[in-house]
Amino acid sequence: MIASVHGEVLSVRLDAAVVEVGGVGMLVQATPTTLAGLRVGAPARLATSLVVREDALTLFGFTDADERDVFEIVQTVSGIGPRLALAMLAVHTPDGLRQAVADENLAALQRVPGIGRKGAQRIVLELKDRLGPPAASVPAVVRADDHRAQVVEALTGLGWPARSASDAVEQVLDGSEEPVSPDEVAGVLRAALRTLGGPRG
């Protein structure tokens, strides 16, 4: 198993990055939030999980080992493969998933594209004793903080001018003054990237 990669970031796109390791460009699938933290030409270290299929070897990258471990654990649930597991981490942080499972919060789990009510119930049932408790409960007032600046920073990190990034975020939010919660950051980032035409590099 390839547990981690460390090297120069050669390119970043909407769903993956290429990291040069020992002269070899490794294609690493990742969440928009993880990709937003990468900079073309800069070194990066990602915890990774190699998924082996008959017709493909796919490497998935994460900001830390905890995120990778959660990615692997959720795949033990019937019907959840690596793509859906990655989508879960694009919507929720590892502790966010732990909190949703601990609270049996089906609505939170159903925010993940591809997970319906029955799937959410199955996740709660099968992961209740496997994910462990969240590190700390996050008060709702903190989770409601506006994270627009985080999305704009992520876009500028992908090569877009600050003005264009800000305009794209406002266009996605349609001028709304409502705060962006942590759970919405990845979705807003994806939508803004589509508006801009995809990440540069």
Side-chain angles (χ1 to χ4, degrees):
M1 175 181 174
I2 301 175
S4 66
V5 296
H6 180 208
E8 181 184 345
V9 178
L10 299 182
S11 66
V12 180
R13 64 190 197 198
L14 188 58
D15 60 348
V18 176
V19 179
E20 184 176 22
V21 181
V24 177
M26 309 277 287
L27 180 66
V28 185
Q29 307 287 325
T31 66
T33 303
T34 297
L35 294 169
L38 304 179
R39 303 289 182 270
V40 174
R45 183 184 296 276
L46 297 172
T48 57
S49 178
L50 179 64
V51 175
V52 180
R53 294 288 185 267
E54 289 185 2
D55 58 346
L57 298 174
T58 307
L59 194 62
F60 293 87
F62 309 92
T63 54
D64 56 39
D66 182 45
E67 195 173 47
R68 178 193 61 207
D69 293 345
V70 170
F71 169 78
E72 294 176 347
I73 289 171
V74 298
Q75 289 181 72
T76 64
V77 177
S78 175
I80 294 186
R83 297 293 178 185
L84 191 51
L86 194 67
M88 292 172 70
L89 288 167
V91 174
H92 298 288
T93 63
D95 267 354
L97 278 175
R98 291 187 179 101
Q99 192 74 59
V101 170
D103 294 344
E104 299 187 13
N105 189 340
L106 303 184
L109 295 171
Q110 286 177 258
R111 292 195 196 114
V112 179
I115 295 181
R117 183 172 181 81
K118 288 185 178 179
Q121 290 173 329
R122 189 165 57 245
I123 289 168
V124 169
L125 179 65
E126 297 188 26
L127 295 183
K128 190 81 169 179
D129 300 319
R130 301 205 61 197
L131 279 180
S137 296
V138 182
V141 66
V142 174
R143 293 181 65 80
D145 282 350
D146 194 338
H147 285 65
R148 294 171 194 238
Q150 182 181 342
V151 180
V152 173
E153 182 181 354
L155 291 169
T156 56
L158 290 172
W160 296 101
R163 170 64 69 178
S164 298
S166 180
D167 289 347
V169 171
E170 289 307 309
Q171 183 176 337
V172 168
L173 298 174
D174 198 24
S176 171
E177 295 300 320
E178 290 297 313
V180 175
S181 74
D183 287 348
E184 296 174 307
V185 168
V188 174
L189 176 57
R190 283 195 297 269
L193 281 168
R194 286 195 293 269
T195 298
L196 291 166
R200 294 184 169 181

